Short mmCIF file of all heavy atoms in Angstrom, two decimals:
data_model
loop_
_atom_site.label_atom_id
_atom_site.label_comp_id
_atom_site.label_asym_id
_atom_site.label_seq_id
_atom_site.Cartn_x
_atom_site.Cartn_y
_atom_site.Cartn_z
N SER B 99 77.89 1.36 -74.40
CA SER B 99 77.15 2.19 -75.35
C SER B 99 75.73 1.63 -75.47
O SER B 99 75.56 0.44 -75.71
CB SER B 99 77.80 2.13 -76.73
OG SER B 99 79.06 2.76 -76.69
N ASP B 100 74.73 2.48 -75.31
CA ASP B 100 73.38 1.98 -75.57
C ASP B 100 73.05 2.18 -77.05
O ASP B 100 73.78 2.84 -77.80
CB ASP B 100 72.33 2.62 -74.65
CG ASP B 100 72.25 4.12 -74.82
OD1 ASP B 100 72.52 4.61 -75.92
OD2 ASP B 100 71.90 4.79 -73.84
N ASP B 101 71.96 1.56 -77.50
CA ASP B 101 71.62 1.55 -78.92
C ASP B 101 71.37 2.96 -79.46
O ASP B 101 71.74 3.29 -80.58
CB ASP B 101 70.40 0.67 -79.19
CG ASP B 101 70.73 -0.81 -78.96
OD1 ASP B 101 71.92 -1.14 -78.81
OD2 ASP B 101 69.80 -1.62 -78.94
N ASP B 102 70.74 3.79 -78.63
CA ASP B 102 70.46 5.15 -79.04
C ASP B 102 71.77 5.91 -79.28
O ASP B 102 71.94 6.62 -80.27
CB ASP B 102 69.63 5.83 -77.95
CG ASP B 102 69.24 7.24 -78.33
OD1 ASP B 102 68.73 7.41 -79.45
OD2 ASP B 102 69.46 8.15 -77.52
N GLN B 103 72.71 5.70 -78.37
CA GLN B 103 74.03 6.33 -78.51
C GLN B 103 74.72 5.84 -79.80
O GLN B 103 75.32 6.63 -80.53
CB GLN B 103 74.89 5.97 -77.30
CG GLN B 103 76.29 6.57 -77.31
CD GLN B 103 76.27 8.08 -77.24
OE1 GLN B 103 75.50 8.66 -76.48
NE2 GLN B 103 77.07 8.73 -78.07
N MET B 104 74.59 4.55 -80.09
CA MET B 104 75.25 4.01 -81.28
C MET B 104 74.63 4.58 -82.57
O MET B 104 75.34 4.84 -83.53
CB MET B 104 75.14 2.48 -81.30
CG MET B 104 76.04 1.82 -80.28
SD MET B 104 76.18 0.04 -80.61
CE MET B 104 76.84 -0.54 -79.05
N ALA B 105 73.31 4.76 -82.59
CA ALA B 105 72.67 5.35 -83.76
C ALA B 105 73.18 6.77 -83.98
O ALA B 105 73.44 7.20 -85.11
CB ALA B 105 71.15 5.34 -83.60
N LYS B 106 73.34 7.50 -82.88
CA LYS B 106 73.89 8.86 -82.98
C LYS B 106 75.33 8.82 -83.47
O LYS B 106 75.74 9.62 -84.30
CB LYS B 106 73.79 9.57 -81.63
CG LYS B 106 72.36 9.93 -81.23
CD LYS B 106 72.33 10.59 -79.87
CE LYS B 106 70.90 10.96 -79.49
NZ LYS B 106 70.81 11.40 -78.08
N ASP B 107 76.11 7.87 -82.92
CA ASP B 107 77.50 7.74 -83.34
C ASP B 107 77.58 7.45 -84.84
O ASP B 107 78.44 7.98 -85.54
CB ASP B 107 78.19 6.60 -82.59
CG ASP B 107 78.47 6.96 -81.14
OD1 ASP B 107 78.31 8.14 -80.79
OD2 ASP B 107 78.83 6.06 -80.37
N THR B 108 76.67 6.58 -85.32
CA THR B 108 76.67 6.24 -86.75
C THR B 108 76.45 7.49 -87.59
O THR B 108 77.16 7.73 -88.57
CB THR B 108 75.55 5.23 -87.05
OG1 THR B 108 75.76 4.07 -86.24
CG2 THR B 108 75.57 4.82 -88.51
N ALA B 109 75.47 8.30 -87.19
CA ALA B 109 75.18 9.52 -87.94
C ALA B 109 76.38 10.45 -87.94
O ALA B 109 76.73 11.06 -88.96
CB ALA B 109 73.96 10.22 -87.35
N LEU B 110 77.03 10.53 -86.79
CA LEU B 110 78.20 11.41 -86.69
C LEU B 110 79.35 10.90 -87.55
O LEU B 110 79.97 11.66 -88.28
CB LEU B 110 78.65 11.52 -85.24
CG LEU B 110 77.75 12.36 -84.35
CD1 LEU B 110 78.21 12.27 -82.90
CD2 LEU B 110 77.74 13.81 -84.81
N ILE B 111 79.63 9.60 -87.45
CA ILE B 111 80.75 9.04 -88.21
C ILE B 111 80.51 9.23 -89.71
O ILE B 111 81.41 9.60 -90.46
CB ILE B 111 80.97 7.54 -87.88
CG1 ILE B 111 81.45 7.38 -86.45
CG2 ILE B 111 81.98 6.92 -88.84
CD1 ILE B 111 81.52 5.93 -85.98
N ARG B 112 79.26 8.99 -90.14
CA ARG B 112 78.94 9.13 -91.56
C ARG B 112 79.14 10.58 -92.02
O ARG B 112 79.77 10.86 -93.03
CB ARG B 112 77.51 8.70 -91.82
CG ARG B 112 77.13 8.76 -93.29
CD ARG B 112 75.67 8.38 -93.45
NE ARG B 112 74.87 9.12 -92.50
CZ ARG B 112 73.97 8.58 -91.69
NH1 ARG B 112 73.72 7.31 -91.72
NH2 ARG B 112 73.30 9.34 -90.83
N GLY B 113 78.59 11.51 -91.25
CA GLY B 113 78.74 12.92 -91.61
C GLY B 113 80.20 13.34 -91.62
O GLY B 113 80.64 14.09 -92.48
N LEU B 114 80.94 12.82 -90.66
CA LEU B 114 82.33 13.23 -90.54
C LEU B 114 83.21 12.58 -91.59
O LEU B 114 84.17 13.20 -92.06
CB LEU B 114 82.82 12.92 -89.13
CG LEU B 114 82.16 13.84 -88.10
CD1 LEU B 114 82.42 13.33 -86.70
CD2 LEU B 114 82.66 15.27 -88.26
N ALA B 115 82.88 11.35 -91.98
CA ALA B 115 83.65 10.69 -93.04
C ALA B 115 83.60 11.56 -94.30
O ALA B 115 84.56 11.64 -95.06
CB ALA B 115 83.09 9.31 -93.34
N HIS B 116 82.46 12.21 -94.48
CA HIS B 116 82.31 13.13 -95.61
C HIS B 116 83.08 14.43 -95.34
O HIS B 116 83.82 14.91 -96.18
CB HIS B 116 80.83 13.41 -95.80
CG HIS B 116 80.51 14.29 -96.96
ND1 HIS B 116 80.71 13.89 -98.27
CD2 HIS B 116 80.01 15.54 -97.02
CE1 HIS B 116 80.34 14.87 -99.08
NE2 HIS B 116 79.91 15.86 -98.35
N ALA B 117 82.90 14.96 -94.14
CA ALA B 117 83.46 16.29 -93.84
C ALA B 117 84.98 16.29 -93.78
O ALA B 117 85.61 17.27 -94.18
CB ALA B 117 82.88 16.82 -92.53
N VAL B 118 85.57 15.20 -93.29
CA VAL B 118 87.03 15.21 -93.15
C VAL B 118 87.70 15.32 -94.52
O VAL B 118 88.81 15.81 -94.63
CB VAL B 118 87.59 13.99 -92.40
CG1 VAL B 118 87.12 13.98 -90.97
CG2 VAL B 118 87.24 12.69 -93.09
N HIS B 119 87.01 14.83 -95.53
CA HIS B 119 87.55 14.94 -96.88
C HIS B 119 87.56 16.40 -97.34
O HIS B 119 88.47 16.84 -98.05
CB HIS B 119 86.71 14.08 -97.82
CG HIS B 119 87.15 14.17 -99.24
ND1 HIS B 119 88.39 13.74 -99.65
CD2 HIS B 119 86.53 14.64 -100.34
CE1 HIS B 119 88.51 13.94 -100.96
NE2 HIS B 119 87.39 14.48 -101.39
N GLU B 120 86.54 17.14 -96.90
CA GLU B 120 86.41 18.54 -97.31
C GLU B 120 87.29 19.46 -96.46
O GLU B 120 87.66 20.53 -96.90
CB GLU B 120 84.95 19.01 -97.18
CG GLU B 120 83.91 18.06 -97.77
CD GLU B 120 84.04 17.94 -99.28
OE1 GLU B 120 84.40 18.94 -99.91
OE2 GLU B 120 83.80 16.84 -99.82
N SER B 121 87.58 19.05 -95.23
CA SER B 121 88.27 19.96 -94.31
C SER B 121 89.48 19.30 -93.66
O SER B 121 89.36 18.53 -92.71
CB SER B 121 87.29 20.39 -93.20
OG SER B 121 88.02 20.96 -92.13
N PRO B 122 90.69 19.59 -94.17
CA PRO B 122 91.90 19.05 -93.55
C PRO B 122 92.01 19.45 -92.08
O PRO B 122 92.52 18.67 -91.28
CB PRO B 122 93.03 19.68 -94.38
CG PRO B 122 92.41 20.03 -95.70
CD PRO B 122 90.98 20.38 -95.39
N ALA B 123 91.52 20.63 -91.72
CA ALA B 123 91.62 21.07 -90.32
C ALA B 123 90.76 20.20 -89.42
O ALA B 123 91.17 19.83 -88.31
CB ALA B 123 91.19 22.54 -90.19
N LEU B 124 89.56 19.85 -89.89
CA LEU B 124 88.71 18.96 -89.10
C LEU B 124 89.34 17.58 -89.00
O LEU B 124 89.35 16.96 -87.94
CB LEU B 124 87.31 18.85 -89.71
CG LEU B 124 86.40 17.84 -89.01
CD1 LEU B 124 86.11 18.26 -87.57
CD2 LEU B 124 85.09 17.65 -89.77
N HIS B 125 89.87 17.10 -90.11
CA HIS B 125 90.49 15.77 -90.10
C HIS B 125 91.62 15.72 -89.07
O HIS B 125 91.72 14.78 -88.29
CB HIS B 125 91.00 15.43 -91.50
CG HIS B 125 91.27 13.97 -91.68
ND1 HIS B 125 91.70 13.43 -92.85
CD2 HIS B 125 91.19 12.94 -90.81
CE1 HIS B 125 91.86 12.12 -92.70
NE2 HIS B 125 91.56 11.80 -91.48
N LYS B 126 92.46 16.76 -89.07
CA LYS B 126 93.59 16.81 -88.15
C LYS B 126 93.10 16.85 -86.69
O LYS B 126 93.57 16.09 -85.84
CB LYS B 126 94.42 18.06 -88.46
CG LYS B 126 95.69 18.23 -87.65
CD LYS B 126 96.51 19.39 -88.21
CE LYS B 126 97.85 19.55 -87.49
NZ LYS B 126 97.73 19.95 -86.09
N ALA B 127 92.12 17.70 -86.43
CA ALA B 127 91.60 17.83 -85.07
C ALA B 127 90.97 16.52 -84.62
O ALA B 127 91.16 16.07 -83.49
CB ALA B 127 90.59 18.97 -85.00
N LEU B 128 90.20 15.90 -85.51
CA LEU B 128 89.53 14.65 -85.17
C LEU B 128 90.52 13.55 -84.88
O LEU B 128 90.34 12.76 -83.95
CB LEU B 128 88.65 14.20 -86.33
CG LEU B 128 87.23 14.70 -86.31
CD1 LEU B 128 86.51 14.16 -87.53
CD2 LEU B 128 86.53 14.26 -85.03
N ARG B 129 91.55 13.47 -85.71
CA ARG B 129 92.52 12.39 -85.50
C ARG B 129 93.25 12.59 -84.20
O ARG B 129 93.43 11.65 -83.43
CB ARG B 129 93.49 12.31 -86.67
CG ARG B 129 92.81 11.74 -87.90
CD ARG B 129 93.76 11.48 -89.02
NE ARG B 129 94.84 10.60 -88.60
CZ ARG B 129 95.89 10.32 -89.34
NH1 ARG B 129 96.00 10.87 -90.53
NH2 ARG B 129 96.81 9.51 -88.90
N GLU B 130 93.66 13.84 -83.90
CA GLU B 130 94.44 14.07 -82.69
C GLU B 130 93.60 13.91 -81.43
O GLU B 130 94.07 13.42 -80.41
CB GLU B 130 95.06 15.46 -82.73
CG GLU B 130 96.15 15.55 -83.80
CD GLU B 130 96.82 16.92 -83.84
OE1 GLU B 130 96.51 17.77 -82.98
OE2 GLU B 130 97.63 17.13 -84.75
N LEU B 131 92.35 14.34 -81.50
CA LEU B 131 91.53 14.41 -80.28
C LEU B 131 90.61 13.22 -80.11
O LEU B 131 90.17 12.92 -79.02
CB LEU B 131 90.70 15.69 -80.29
CG LEU B 131 91.50 16.98 -80.17
CD1 LEU B 131 90.63 18.18 -80.47
CD2 LEU B 131 92.09 17.10 -78.77
N LEU B 132 90.28 12.54 -81.22
CA LEU B 132 89.25 11.51 -81.13
C LEU B 132 89.75 10.15 -81.60
O LEU B 132 89.74 9.17 -80.87
CB LEU B 132 88.03 11.94 -81.94
CG LEU B 132 86.79 11.09 -81.79
CD1 LEU B 132 86.21 11.23 -80.40
CD2 LEU B 132 85.75 11.48 -82.83
N VAL B 133 90.22 10.10 -82.86
CA VAL B 133 90.56 8.81 -83.45
C VAL B 133 91.81 8.21 -82.78
O VAL B 133 91.78 7.07 -82.31
CB VAL B 133 90.76 8.94 -84.98
CG1 VAL B 133 91.16 7.60 -85.57
CG2 VAL B 133 89.49 9.46 -85.63
N ASP B 134 92.88 9.00 -82.71
CA ASP B 134 94.13 8.45 -82.15
C ASP B 134 93.96 8.00 -80.70
O ASP B 134 94.42 6.90 -80.35
CB ASP B 134 95.27 9.47 -82.29
CG ASP B 134 95.70 9.63 -83.75
OD1 ASP B 134 95.26 8.81 -84.59
OD2 ASP B 134 96.47 10.56 -84.05
N PRO B 135 93.33 8.80 -79.82
CA PRO B 135 93.16 8.32 -78.44
C PRO B 135 92.33 7.04 -78.35
O PRO B 135 92.65 6.14 -77.56
CB PRO B 135 92.43 9.47 -77.74
CG PRO B 135 92.74 10.68 -78.56
CD PRO B 135 92.89 10.19 -79.97
N GLU B 136 91.29 6.91 -79.17
CA GLU B 136 90.47 5.69 -79.15
C GLU B 136 91.29 4.50 -79.63
O GLU B 136 91.21 3.41 -79.06
CB GLU B 136 89.23 5.86 -80.05
CG GLU B 136 88.14 6.69 -79.44
CD GLU B 136 87.65 6.13 -78.11
OE1 GLU B 136 87.20 4.98 -78.09
OE2 GLU B 136 87.72 6.86 -77.11
N ILE B 137 92.06 4.71 -80.71
CA ILE B 137 92.88 3.61 -81.23
C ILE B 137 93.96 3.25 -80.22
O ILE B 137 94.23 2.07 -80.00
CB ILE B 137 93.48 4.00 -82.60
CG1 ILE B 137 92.33 4.05 -83.64
CG2 ILE B 137 94.54 3.00 -83.03
CD1 ILE B 137 92.75 4.49 -85.00
#
Side-chain angles (χ1 to χ4, degrees):
Chain B
S99 293
D100 61 29
D101 291 349
D102 183 50
Q103 180 65 42
M104 287 194 196
K106 289 178 179 171
D107 287 349
T108 303
L110 287 174
I111 292 173
R112 183 183 48 230
L114 290 167
H116 183 67
V118 295
H119 178 63
E120 312 295 326
S121 164
L124 175 64
H125 197 178
K126 184 172 184 294
L128 270 180
R129 287 187 57 187
E130 291 182 5
L131 293 168
L132 189 68
V133 178
D134 290 349
E136 283 302 302
I137 291 177

